Amino acid sequence: MTSTTSNNEAVLVAGSANNEESVAKSNNNVTIPKHPILMHKISLLRSSSTNPASFRQVLREITYHLGYEATLNDLNVKTKKLTVPVGNDHITCEGKVLTDKIALVPILRSGLGMVDSMLELLPNAGIHHIGMYKQNQMPVQYYNRLPRKCDSDVAYILDPCLATSQTMCVVVAILKKWGVEKIHVISVVASKSGLEKLVETHPDIKVTVGQVDKDLNENGVIIPGLGDAGDRLFGTHIDEEDEEDLMHQSKRKRSF
């Protein structure tokens, strides 16, 4: 979707309400919060003027909000007796404590930027990294630190961008094979087509996403999206030729 500025320059409109409403209405397992502060923060994250330090901070703030929304209906609690100090006395009352074993699964590398704020919400969660890269537009797994035996009731997959959703579909399939019962994807920005493909391929999972953009370019990148979230998060940039060379161990530079 585009709008036109006063000098007739076409400008992409990010996070179109039409995109979000059509996806959310077609699937009850998709949550797209409408909080104005979240919209403001996502605009900061998109901006080219946001430096890596600010990008990391804003991503943490956005993730905390999305994580709060995502955990609303996923987690079980039980009643526990506790005491409250009132003056020199202690009053007995009933409270609630979480009972589920929770796994955070960041997709390397940009998913790492979402872990700390999720741990603020869920400090006892386990963290299990999965590394993916694309070769000829196809996802390839290069790292997997899931325990051999599934010990979690709920898994939250963390990735700032959900573009074509090919990578996410593979990661969800890996977690299903691992044996976790509930899977919830948390992303900041998704493409409309990628989000629709994900929920069509895996209709039994839940997704919480900050905003939905309409377009993908010919390379499968969300437009306008966030840019390369990993590069912006860590302040790095590798040319495609250099990146291909680094895949060969003999061409990697050693540091001492």
Side-chain angles (χ1 to χ4, degrees), residues 89-107:
D89 200 1
H90 293 269
I91 299 175
T92 301
C93 68
E94 289 187 345
K96 303 289 184 182
V97 294
L98 294 171
T99 60
D100 293 302
K101 292 184 177 180
I102 301 163
L104 305 178
V105 185
I107 299 179

Side-chain angles (χ1 to χ4, degrees), residues 48-224:
S48 300
S49 63
T50 300
N51 61 35
S54 297
F55 190 92
R56 290 190 290 270
Q57 177 61 36
V58 175
L59 179 58
R60 286 194 293 269
E61 294 169 359
I62 291 170
T63 302
Y64 191 92
H65 183 108
L66 294 175
Y68 184 86
E69 293 283 347
T71 53
L72 179 61
N73 297 312
D74 284 344
L75 304 179
N76 298 303
V77 295
K78 69 178 181 180
T79 301
K80 181 180 180 179
K81 289 186 177 182
L82 50 88
T83 60
V84 181
V86 179
N88 295 323
D89 200 1
H90 293 269
I91 299 175
T92 301
C93 68
E94 289 187 345
K96 303 289 184 182
V97 294
L98 294 171
T99 60
D100 293 302
K101 292 184 177 180
I102 301 163
L104 305 178
V105 185
I107 299 179
L108 303 179
R109 63 183 167 147
S110 56
L112 292 174
M114 303 174 73
V115 172
D116 286 348
S117 49
M118 287 298 292
L119 283 175
E120 291 181 22
L121 283 170
L122 304 165
N124 295 319
I127 306 171
H128 309 309
H129 303 86
I130 292 181
M132 305 289 294
Y133 72 92
K134 281 193 174 181
Q135 188 172 45
N136 300 323
Q137 297 298 314
M138 296 301 294
V140 179
Q141 177 184 276
Y142 69 88
Y143 189 79
N144 185 326
R145 285 295 293 173
L146 291 173
R148 183 163 297 184
K149 182 179 179 181
C150 179
D151 57 355
S152 302
D153 303 304
V154 186
Y156 292 97
I157 306 176
L158 310 177
D159 198 352
C161 295
L162 180 64
T164 64
S165 80
Q166 288 179 312
T167 295
M168 189 62 72
C169 285
V170 170
V171 173
V172 170
I174 290 171
L175 290 179
K176 285 184 174 180
K177 186 176 180 180
W178 183 49
V180 65
E181 183 178 346
K182 298 179 184 177
I183 298 173
H184 200 133
V185 173
I186 301 178
S187 291
V188 178
V189 175
S191 73
K192 184 173 183 291
S193 59
L195 182 54
E196 289 174 338
K197 178 183 176 182
L198 176 62
V199 296
E200 179 182 351
T201 305
H202 297 287
D204 53 338
I205 71 168
K206 293 182 180 180
V207 182
T208 296
V209 61
Q211 289 184 347
V212 179
D213 293 347
K214 180 180 178 182
D215 298 314
L216 290 169
N217 67 13
E218 64 277 7
N219 296 318
V221 176
I222 306 172
I223 302 297

